[in-house]
PDB file of all heavy atoms in Angstrom:
ATOM      1  N   VAL A   1      19.059  11.114   1.131  1.00 79.00           N
ATOM      2  CA  VAL A   1      18.259  11.395  -0.104  1.00 79.00           C
ATOM      3  C   VAL A   1      18.211  10.254  -1.056  1.00 79.00           C
ATOM      4  O   VAL A   1      17.203   9.847  -1.656  1.00 79.00           O
ATOM      5  CB  VAL A   1      18.876  12.597  -0.837  1.00 79.00           C
ATOM      6  CG1 VAL A   1      18.197  12.847  -2.107  1.00 79.00           C
ATOM      7  CG2 VAL A   1      18.687  13.871   0.064  1.00 79.00           C
ATOM      8  N   ALA A   2      19.402   9.503  -1.203  1.00 76.00           N
ATOM      9  CA  ALA A   2      19.375   8.324  -2.084  1.00 76.00           C
ATOM     10  C   ALA A   2      18.441   7.311  -1.566  1.00 76.00           C
ATOM     11  O   ALA A   2      17.795   6.632  -2.303  1.00 76.00           O
ATOM     12  CB  ALA A   2      20.845   7.890  -2.195  1.00 76.00           C
ATOM     13  N   GLY A   3      18.408   7.058  -0.249  1.00 76.00           N
ATOM     14  CA  GLY A   3      17.550   6.133   0.358  1.00 76.00           C
ATOM     15  C   GLY A   3      16.048   6.524   0.173  1.00 76.00           C
ATOM     16  O   GLY A   3      15.220   5.736  -0.121  1.00 76.00           O
ATOM     17  N   ALA A   4      15.747   7.781   0.387  1.00 73.00           N
ATOM     18  CA  ALA A   4      14.371   8.182   0.234  1.00 73.00           C
ATOM     19  C   ALA A   4      13.852   8.007  -1.255  1.00 73.00           C
ATOM     20  O   ALA A   4      12.733   7.567  -1.406  1.00 73.00           O
ATOM     21  CB  ALA A   4      14.288   9.646   0.601  1.00 73.00           C
ATOM     22  N   VAL A   5      14.653   8.294  -2.224  1.00 72.00           N
ATOM     23  CA  VAL A   5      14.144   8.226  -3.611  1.00 72.00           C
ATOM     24  C   VAL A   5      14.274   6.802  -4.113  1.00 72.00           C
ATOM     25  O   VAL A   5      13.578   6.471  -5.116  1.00 72.00           O
ATOM     26  CB  VAL A   5      14.950   9.163  -4.551  1.00 72.00           C
ATOM     27  CG1 VAL A   5      14.751  10.546  -4.111  1.00 72.00           C
ATOM     28  CG2 VAL A   5      16.447   8.858  -4.580  1.00 72.00           C
ATOM     29  N   GLY A   6      15.016   5.965  -3.482  1.00 72.00           N
ATOM     30  CA  GLY A   6      15.222   4.626  -3.976  1.00 72.00           C
ATOM     31  C   GLY A   6      14.555   3.525  -3.219  1.00 72.00           C
ATOM     32  O   GLY A   6      14.645   2.340  -3.534  1.00 72.00           O
ATOM     33  N   GLN A   7      13.888   3.942  -2.136  1.00 73.00           N
ATOM     34  CA  GLN A   7      13.365   2.894  -1.200  1.00 73.00           C
ATOM     35  C   GLN A   7      12.263   2.038  -1.930  1.00 73.00           C
ATOM     36  O   GLN A   7      12.041   0.869  -1.622  1.00 73.00           O
ATOM     37  CB  GLN A   7      12.709   3.547  -0.010  1.00 73.00           C
ATOM     38  CG  GLN A   7      11.611   4.543  -0.240  1.00 73.00           C
ATOM     39  CD  GLN A   7      11.050   4.998   1.051  1.00 73.00           C
ATOM     40  OE1 GLN A   7      10.785   4.283   2.041  1.00 73.00           O
ATOM     41  NE2 GLN A   7      10.676   6.357   1.100  1.00 73.00           N
ATOM     42  N   TYR A   8      11.463   2.674  -2.864  1.00 70.00           N
ATOM     43  CA  TYR A   8      10.394   1.962  -3.473  1.00 70.00           C
ATOM     44  C   TYR A   8      10.775   0.986  -4.558  1.00 70.00           C
ATOM     45  O   TYR A   8      10.186  -0.028  -4.832  1.00 70.00           O
ATOM     46  CB  TYR A   8       9.337   2.958  -4.070  1.00 70.00           C
ATOM     47  CG  TYR A   8       8.674   3.791  -3.016  1.00 70.00           C
ATOM     48  CD1 TYR A   8       8.995   5.144  -3.004  1.00 70.00           C
ATOM     49  CD2 TYR A   8       7.728   3.233  -2.183  1.00 70.00           C
ATOM     50  CE1 TYR A   8       8.428   6.002  -2.089  1.00 70.00           C
ATOM     51  CE2 TYR A   8       7.090   4.127  -1.201  1.00 70.00           C
ATOM     52  CZ  TYR A   8       7.539   5.441  -1.154  1.00 70.00           C
ATOM     53  OH  TYR A   8       6.854   6.173  -0.213  1.00 70.00           O
ATOM     54  N   ALA A   9      12.056   1.200  -5.020  1.00 69.00           N
ATOM     55  CA  ALA A   9      12.680   0.328  -6.003  1.00 69.00           C
ATOM     56  C   ALA A   9      13.104  -0.962  -5.416  1.00 69.00           C
ATOM     57  O   ALA A   9      13.192  -2.053  -6.122  1.00 69.00           O
ATOM     58  CB  ALA A   9      13.746   1.003  -6.760  1.00 69.00           C
ATOM     59  N   VAL A  10      13.371  -0.919  -4.070  1.00 70.00           N
ATOM     60  CA  VAL A  10      13.875  -2.215  -3.437  1.00 70.00           C
ATOM     61  C   VAL A  10      12.859  -2.648  -2.288  1.00 70.00           C
ATOM     62  O   VAL A  10      13.248  -3.556  -1.594  1.00 70.00           O
ATOM     63  CB  VAL A  10      15.235  -1.949  -2.712  1.00 70.00           C
ATOM     64  CG1 VAL A  10      16.272  -1.553  -3.689  1.00 70.00           C
ATOM     65  CG2 VAL A  10      15.138  -0.783  -1.667  1.00 70.00           C
ATOM     66  N   SER A  11      11.695  -2.100  -2.419  1.00 71.00           N
ATOM     67  CA  SER A  11      10.728  -2.572  -1.392  1.00 71.00           C
ATOM     68  C   SER A  11       9.622  -3.309  -2.179  1.00 71.00           C
ATOM     69  O   SER A  11       9.338  -3.035  -3.349  1.00 71.00           O
ATOM     70  CB  SER A  11      10.007  -1.331  -0.678  1.00 71.00           C
ATOM     71  OG  SER A  11      11.052  -0.719   0.027  1.00 71.00           O
ATOM     72  N   THR A  12       8.852  -4.131  -1.420  1.00 68.00           N
ATOM     73  CA  THR A  12       7.738  -4.884  -2.033  1.00 68.00           C
ATOM     74  C   THR A  12       6.670  -5.068  -1.000  1.00 68.00           C
ATOM     75  O   THR A  12       6.878  -5.088   0.193  1.00 68.00           O
ATOM     76  CB  THR A  12       8.189  -6.314  -2.442  1.00 68.00           C
ATOM     77  OG1 THR A  12       7.031  -6.995  -2.961  1.00 68.00           O
ATOM     78  CG2 THR A  12       8.781  -7.072  -1.263  1.00 68.00           C
ATOM     79  N   ASP A  13       5.445  -4.946  -1.459  1.00 64.00           N
ATOM     80  CA  ASP A  13       4.314  -5.129  -0.563  1.00 64.00           C
ATOM     81  C   ASP A  13       3.735  -6.633  -0.647  1.00 64.00           C
ATOM     82  O   ASP A  13       2.715  -6.980  -0.143  1.00 64.00           O
ATOM     83  CB  ASP A  13       3.125  -4.220  -1.040  1.00 64.00           C
ATOM     84  CG  ASP A  13       2.819  -4.317  -2.465  1.00 64.00           C
ATOM     85  OD1 ASP A  13       3.415  -5.048  -3.214  1.00 64.00           O
ATOM     86  OD2 ASP A  13       1.866  -3.651  -2.934  1.00 64.00           O
ATOM     87  N   ASP A  14       4.560  -7.525  -1.390  1.00 64.00           N
ATOM     88  CA  ASP A  14       4.160  -8.928  -1.556  1.00 64.00           C
ATOM     89  C   ASP A  14       4.671  -9.653  -0.306  1.00 64.00           C
ATOM     90  O   ASP A  14       5.784 -10.268  -0.361  1.00 64.00           O
ATOM     91  CB  ASP A  14       4.788  -9.361  -2.773  1.00 64.00           C
ATOM     92  CG  ASP A  14       4.391 -10.814  -3.142  1.00 64.00           C
ATOM     93  OD1 ASP A  14       3.469 -11.358  -2.334  1.00 64.00           O
ATOM     94  OD2 ASP A  14       4.961 -11.454  -4.058  1.00 64.00           O
ATOM     95  N   THR A  15       3.900  -9.688   0.718  1.00 65.00           N
ATOM     96  CA  THR A  15       4.381 -10.194   2.025  1.00 65.00           C
ATOM     97  C   THR A  15       4.358 -11.744   1.913  1.00 65.00           C
ATOM     98  O   THR A  15       5.129 -12.372   2.728  1.00 65.00           O
ATOM     99  CB  THR A  15       3.374  -9.793   3.148  1.00 65.00           C
ATOM    100  OG1 THR A  15       2.008 -10.097   2.772  1.00 65.00           O
ATOM    101  CG2 THR A  15       3.458  -8.378   3.387  1.00 65.00           C
ATOM    102  N   ALA A  16       3.668 -12.330   0.919  1.00 62.00           N
ATOM    103  CA  ALA A  16       3.688 -13.783   0.921  1.00 62.00           C
ATOM    104  C   ALA A  16       5.045 -14.323   0.545  1.00 62.00           C
ATOM    105  O   ALA A  16       5.358 -15.427   0.938  1.00 62.00           O
ATOM    106  CB  ALA A  16       2.703 -14.194  -0.210  1.00 62.00           C
ATOM    107  N   ARG A  17       5.890 -13.481  -0.127  1.00 65.00           N
ATOM    108  CA  ARG A  17       7.155 -14.064  -0.502  1.00 65.00           C
ATOM    109  C   ARG A  17       8.091 -14.168   0.685  1.00 65.00           C
ATOM    110  O   ARG A  17       9.170 -14.848   0.620  1.00 65.00           O
ATOM    111  CB  ARG A  17       7.862 -13.183  -1.563  1.00 65.00           C
ATOM    112  CG  ARG A  17       8.333 -11.757  -1.035  1.00 65.00           C
ATOM    113  CD  ARG A  17       9.100 -11.033  -2.056  1.00 65.00           C
ATOM    114  NE  ARG A  17       8.322 -10.959  -3.396  1.00 65.00           N
ATOM    115  CZ  ARG A  17       8.873 -10.722  -4.535  1.00 65.00           C
ATOM    116  NH1 ARG A  17      10.143 -10.505  -4.597  1.00 65.00           N
ATOM    117  NH2 ARG A  17       8.134 -10.520  -5.603  1.00 65.00           N
ATOM    118  N   PHE A  18       7.783 -13.478   1.789  1.00 64.00           N
ATOM    119  CA  PHE A  18       8.573 -13.592   3.026  1.00 64.00           C
ATOM    120  C   PHE A  18       8.187 -14.826   3.798  1.00 64.00           C
ATOM    121  O   PHE A  18       8.874 -15.078   4.806  1.00 64.00           O
ATOM    122  CB  PHE A  18       8.393 -12.272   3.843  1.00 64.00           C
ATOM    123  CG  PHE A  18       8.913 -11.107   3.168  1.00 64.00           C
ATOM    124  CD1 PHE A  18       8.044 -10.097   2.828  1.00 64.00           C
ATOM    125  CD2 PHE A  18      10.231 -10.939   2.864  1.00 64.00           C
ATOM    126  CE1 PHE A  18       8.482  -8.914   2.198  1.00 64.00           C
ATOM    127  CE2 PHE A  18      10.743  -9.820   2.212  1.00 64.00           C
ATOM    128  CZ  PHE A  18       9.800  -8.809   1.891  1.00 64.00           C
ATOM    129  N   LEU A  19       7.134 -15.474   3.488  1.00 64.00           N
ATOM    130  CA  LEU A  19       6.690 -16.654   4.265  1.00 64.00           C
ATOM    131  C   LEU A  19       7.496 -17.875   4.032  1.00 64.00           C
ATOM    132  O   LEU A  19       8.134 -17.964   2.946  1.00 64.00           O
ATOM    133  CB  LEU A  19       5.244 -17.039   3.948  1.00 64.00           C
ATOM    134  CG  LEU A  19       4.211 -15.847   4.384  1.00 64.00           C
ATOM    135  CD1 LEU A  19       2.839 -16.229   3.809  1.00 64.00           C
ATOM    136  CD2 LEU A  19       4.177 -15.711   5.872  1.00 64.00           C
ATOM    137  N   PRO A  20       7.541 -18.836   4.974  1.00 66.00           N
ATOM    138  CA  PRO A  20       8.296 -20.042   4.727  1.00 66.00           C
ATOM    139  C   PRO A  20       7.624 -20.800   3.539  1.00 66.00           C
ATOM    140  O   PRO A  20       6.484 -20.594   3.233  1.00 66.00           O
ATOM    141  CB  PRO A  20       8.107 -20.844   6.076  1.00 66.00           C
ATOM    142  CG  PRO A  20       7.856 -19.824   7.029  1.00 66.00           C
ATOM    143  CD  PRO A  20       7.134 -18.764   6.363  1.00 66.00           C
ATOM    144  N   SER A  21       8.457 -21.634   2.941  1.00 65.00           N
ATOM    145  CA  SER A  21       8.013 -22.304   1.760  1.00 65.00           C
ATOM    146  C   SER A  21       6.820 -23.199   2.006  1.00 65.00           C
ATOM    147  O   SER A  21       6.057 -23.537   0.956  1.00 65.00           O
ATOM    148  CB  SER A  21       9.172 -23.047   1.012  1.00 65.00           C
ATOM    149  OG  SER A  21       9.736 -24.005   2.032  1.00 65.00           O
ATOM    150  N   ASP A  22       6.699 -23.659   3.138  1.00 67.00           N
ATOM    151  CA  ASP A  22       5.590 -24.602   3.407  1.00 67.00           C
ATOM    152  C   ASP A  22       4.314 -23.929   3.876  1.00 67.00           C
ATOM    153  O   ASP A  22       3.311 -24.533   4.179  1.00 67.00           O
ATOM    154  CB  ASP A  22       5.993 -25.580   4.489  1.00 67.00           C
ATOM    155  CG  ASP A  22       6.400 -24.903   5.760  1.00 67.00           C
ATOM    156  OD1 ASP A  22       6.596 -23.682   5.764  1.00 67.00           O
ATOM    157  OD2 ASP A  22       6.601 -25.630   6.827  1.00 67.00           O
ATOM    158  N   ALA A  23       4.292 -22.620   3.899  1.00 66.00           N
ATOM    159  CA  ALA A  23       3.147 -21.892   4.228  1.00 66.00           C
ATOM    160  C   ALA A  23       2.027 -21.974   3.169  1.00 66.00           C
ATOM    161  O   ALA A  23       2.378 -21.822   1.965  1.00 66.00           O
ATOM    162  CB  ALA A  23       3.387 -20.419   4.552  1.00 66.00           C
ATOM    163  N   SER A  24       0.784 -22.171   3.550  1.00 71.00           N
ATOM    164  CA  SER A  24      -0.210 -22.414   2.593  1.00 71.00           C
ATOM    165  C   SER A  24      -0.466 -21.235   1.713  1.00 71.00           C
ATOM    166  O   SER A  24      -0.678 -21.336   0.475  1.00 71.00           O
ATOM    167  CB  SER A  24      -1.542 -22.788   3.297  1.00 71.00           C
ATOM    168  OG  SER A  24      -1.997 -21.799   4.201  1.00 71.00           O
ATOM    169  N   SER A  25      -0.471 -19.986   2.198  1.00 67.00           N
ATOM    170  CA  SER A  25      -0.674 -18.783   1.441  1.00 67.00           C
ATOM    171  C   SER A  25       0.410 -18.643   0.324  1.00 67.00           C
ATOM    172  O   SER A  25       0.127 -18.150  -0.730  1.00 67.00           O
ATOM    173  CB  SER A  25      -0.786 -17.573   2.344  1.00 67.00           C
ATOM    174  OG  SER A  25       0.380 -17.315   3.048  1.00 67.00           O
ATOM    175  N   ARG A  26       1.711 -18.933   0.741  1.00 67.00           N
ATOM    176  CA  ARG A  26       2.803 -18.814  -0.193  1.00 67.00           C
ATOM    177  C   ARG A  26       2.583 -19.916  -1.376  1.00 67.00           C
ATOM    178  O   ARG A  26       2.861 -19.615  -2.549  1.00 67.00           O
ATOM    179  CB  ARG A  26       4.091 -18.907   0.417  1.00 67.00           C
ATOM    180  CG  ARG A  26       5.304 -18.936  -0.695  1.00 67.00           C
ATOM    181  CD  ARG A  26       6.627 -18.736   0.092  1.00 67.00           C
ATOM    182  NE  ARG A  26       7.692 -18.654  -0.916  1.00 67.00           N
ATOM    183  CZ  ARG A  26       8.953 -18.504  -0.594  1.00 67.00           C
ATOM    184  NH1 ARG A  26       9.266 -18.177   0.706  1.00 67.00           N
ATOM    185  NH2 ARG A  26       9.866 -18.376  -1.476  1.00 67.00           N
ATOM    186  N   GLN A  27       2.270 -21.078  -0.985  1.00 70.00           N
ATOM    187  CA  GLN A  27       1.982 -22.135  -1.976  1.00 70.00           C
ATOM    188  C   GLN A  27       0.824 -21.725  -2.899  1.00 70.00           C
ATOM    189  O   GLN A  27       0.891 -21.948  -4.138  1.00 70.00           O
ATOM    190  CB  GLN A  27       1.627 -23.474  -1.267  1.00 70.00           C
ATOM    191  CG  GLN A  27       2.960 -24.021  -0.465  1.00 70.00           C
ATOM    192  CD  GLN A  27       2.532 -25.272   0.303  1.00 70.00           C
ATOM    193  OE1 GLN A  27       1.368 -25.562   0.412  1.00 70.00           O
ATOM    194  NE2 GLN A  27       3.505 -25.905   0.883  1.00 70.00           N
ATOM    195  N   ALA A  28      -0.262 -21.245  -2.391  1.00 71.00           N
ATOM    196  CA  ALA A  28      -1.357 -20.734  -3.169  1.00 71.00           C
ATOM    197  C   ALA A  28      -0.884 -19.685  -4.179  1.00 71.00           C
ATOM    198  O   ALA A  28      -1.277 -19.647  -5.379  1.00 71.00           O
ATOM    199  CB  ALA A  28      -2.454 -20.174  -2.277  1.00 71.00           C
ATOM    200  N   LEU A  29      -0.009 -18.744  -3.660  1.00 67.00           N
ATOM    201  CA  LEU A  29       0.463 -17.654  -4.570  1.00 67.00           C
ATOM    202  C   LEU A  29       1.291 -18.278  -5.736  1.00 67.00           C
ATOM    203  O   LEU A  29       1.133 -17.877  -6.937  1.00 67.00           O
ATOM    204  CB  LEU A  29       1.279 -16.707  -3.773  1.00 67.00           C
ATOM    205  CG  LEU A  29       1.923 -15.572  -4.545  1.00 67.00           C
ATOM    206  CD1 LEU A  29       0.862 -14.564  -5.104  1.00 67.00           C
ATOM    207  CD2 LEU A  29       2.832 -14.715  -3.700  1.00 67.00           C
ATOM    208  N   GLU A  30       2.121 -19.201  -5.391  1.00 68.00           N
ATOM    209  CA  GLU A  30       2.971 -19.867  -6.450  1.00 68.00           C
ATOM    210  C   GLU A  30       2.072 -20.606  -7.431  1.00 68.00           C
ATOM    211  O   GLU A  30       2.365 -20.602  -8.560  1.00 68.00           O
ATOM    212  CB  GLU A  30       3.928 -20.763  -5.713  1.00 68.00           C
ATOM    213  CG  GLU A  30       5.050 -20.109  -5.002  1.00 68.00           C
ATOM    214  CD  GLU A  30       5.894 -20.982  -4.252  1.00 68.00           C
ATOM    215  OE1 GLU A  30       5.723 -22.210  -4.238  1.00 68.00           O
ATOM    216  OE2 GLU A  30       7.003 -20.548  -3.699  1.00 68.00           O
ATOM    217  N   ILE A  31       1.045 -21.272  -7.009  1.00 70.00           N
ATOM    218  CA  ILE A  31       0.088 -21.893  -7.892  1.00 70.00           C
ATOM    219  C   ILE A  31      -0.553 -20.904  -8.817  1.00 70.00           C
ATOM    220  O   ILE A  31      -0.712 -21.056 -10.042  1.00 70.00           O
ATOM    221  CB  ILE A  31      -0.962 -22.671  -7.167  1.00 70.00           C
ATOM    222  CG1 ILE A  31      -0.242 -23.875  -6.439  1.00 70.00           C
ATOM    223  CG2 ILE A  31      -2.068 -23.253  -8.074  1.00 70.00           C
ATOM    224  CD1 ILE A  31      -1.202 -24.667  -5.503  1.00 70.00           C
TER     225      ILE A  31
END
């Protein structure tokens, strides 16, 4: 139950942040 109600607090749909630092899409997001 704790996991079900708390999953959105520790989840993100920002997939660019998982990319390596040299990925162009992540660099564009940082800019």
Side-chain angles (χ1 to χ4, degrees):
V1 171
V5 300
Q7 61 176 321
Y8 298 108
V10 297
S11 301
T12 178
D13 54 358
D14 184 4
T15 56
R17 70 172 57 195
F18 297 116
L19 295 172
S21 57
D22 58 348
S24 58
S25 57
R26 178 167 180 173
Q27 293 174 352
L29 179 63
E30 291 176 351
I31 292 174

